[in-house]
């Protein structure tokens, strides 16, 4: 029951979608797109891959800290700090790659389920509007820039055939139920 537009999935599949995601969605496909994106993270085992990479990078960070301590002084501090910053930036690059993979597979999952993947792009536009330009440059973020995501999701959608969709999803009734609740809390 949080007002932020956010969702995440844990390794193994448990998925959490904030109320803010439902409140921001104009159509069911926007929430479906986010859930397909999170499902893609689980299917591609991104959580496990990140944990494995982080272990390897910790060794590099410790080596940088030791080298900095041995050298000492300003140069030693620069080496220690530089290794931490460099390794952090490297891990964010992997995270951005994983986000793009999840976006593209999520778009494919949506199309197979009968939803237009462009709805996922619309949700990223809503997220961008919500951030009011406060998103950091992409190289400082673990996620791709929302505008870039919109472009490549739409390009992927142009290549996909949207399958048939089943009826009776309950999206409208879920939104109506949320509207009767007290305001969502903020993180």
């Amino acid at each position: 029951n949080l007002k932020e537009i956010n969702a995440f999935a844990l390794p193994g599949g448990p998925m959490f979608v904030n109320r803010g995601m439902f409140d921001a969605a104009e159509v069911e496909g926007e929430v479906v797109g986010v859930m397909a994106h999170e499902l893609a993270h689980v299917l591609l085992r991104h959580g496990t891959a990140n944990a494995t990479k982080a272990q390897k990078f910790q060794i590099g960070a410790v080596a940088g800290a030791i080298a900095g301590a041995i050298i000492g002084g300003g140069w030693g501090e620069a080496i220690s700090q530089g290794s931490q910053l460099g390794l952090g930036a490297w891990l964010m690059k992997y995270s951005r790659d994983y986000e793009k993979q999840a976006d593209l597979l999520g778009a494919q999952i949506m199309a197979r389920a009968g939803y237009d993947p462009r709805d996922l792009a619309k949700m990223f536009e809503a997220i961008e509007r919500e951030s009011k330009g406060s998103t950091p440059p992409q190289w400082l973020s673990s996620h791709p820039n929302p505008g870039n995501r919109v472009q490549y999701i739409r390009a992927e959608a142009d290549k996909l055939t949207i399958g048939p969709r089943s009826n009776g999803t309950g999206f409208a009734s879920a939104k109506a139920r949320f509207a009767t609740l007290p305001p969502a809390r903020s993180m």
Side-chain angles (χ1 to χ4, degrees):
N1 191 21
L2 296 172
K3 71 178 185 177
E4 287 77 20
I5 302 173
N6 198 11
F8 63 94
L10 300 175
M15 185 182 307
F16 300 87
V17 181
N18 286 3
R19 178 176 165 188
M21 186 69 66
F22 285 89
D23 291 343
E26 293 180 16
V27 296
E28 179 180 40
E30 293 173 8
V31 175
V32 169
V34 170
M35 293 175 75
H37 166 93
E38 296 302 334
L39 176 61
H41 277 306
V42 173
L43 295 172
L44 296 169
R45 299 181 50 120
H46 287 157
T48 305
N50 267 341
T52 302
K53 281 184 179 58
Q55 277 183 327
K56 292 176 184 176
F57 285 115
Q58 284 176 340
I59 294 168
V62 169
I66 291 170
I70 291 171
I71 293 170
W75 282 105
E77 182 68 22
I79 291 170
S80 179
Q81 295 283 333
S83 67
Q84 295 291 324
L85 181 63
L87 293 171
W90 189 281
L91 278 175
M92 280 196 265
K93 181 229 181 279
Y94 278 112
S95 186
R96 287 190 302 272
D97 290 346
Y98 290 160
E99 289 299 321
K100 184 173 183 177
Q101 289 172 5
D103 289 343
L104 296 175
L105 180 56
Q108 294 165 15
I109 291 169
M110 288 182 73
R112 282 188 209 117
Y115 291 90
D116 187 343
R118 290 169 191 85
D119 287 342
L120 176 58
K122 289 178 192 171
M123 183 51 75
F124 284 122
E125 290 173 331
I127 291 168
E128 191 169 36
R129 281 190 305 275
E130 178 79 10
S131 70
K132 298 176 180 88
S134 65
T135 55
Q138 182 166 296
W139 66 274
L140 279 176
S141 177
S142 61
H143 286 65
N145 175 289
N148 295 342
R149 295 174 99 167
V150 168
Q151 287 180 327
Y152 65 69
I153 290 168
R154 285 188 175 146
E156 182 71 11
D158 290 342
K159 301 174 198 168
L160 299 172
T161 301
I162 298 172
R165 184 185 332 172
S166 64
N167 294 331
T169 62
F171 178 71
S173 63
K175 280 194 66 110
R177 172 83 171 101
F178 282 138
T180 66
L181 298 175
R185 297 177 311 227
S186 178
M187 290 181 68

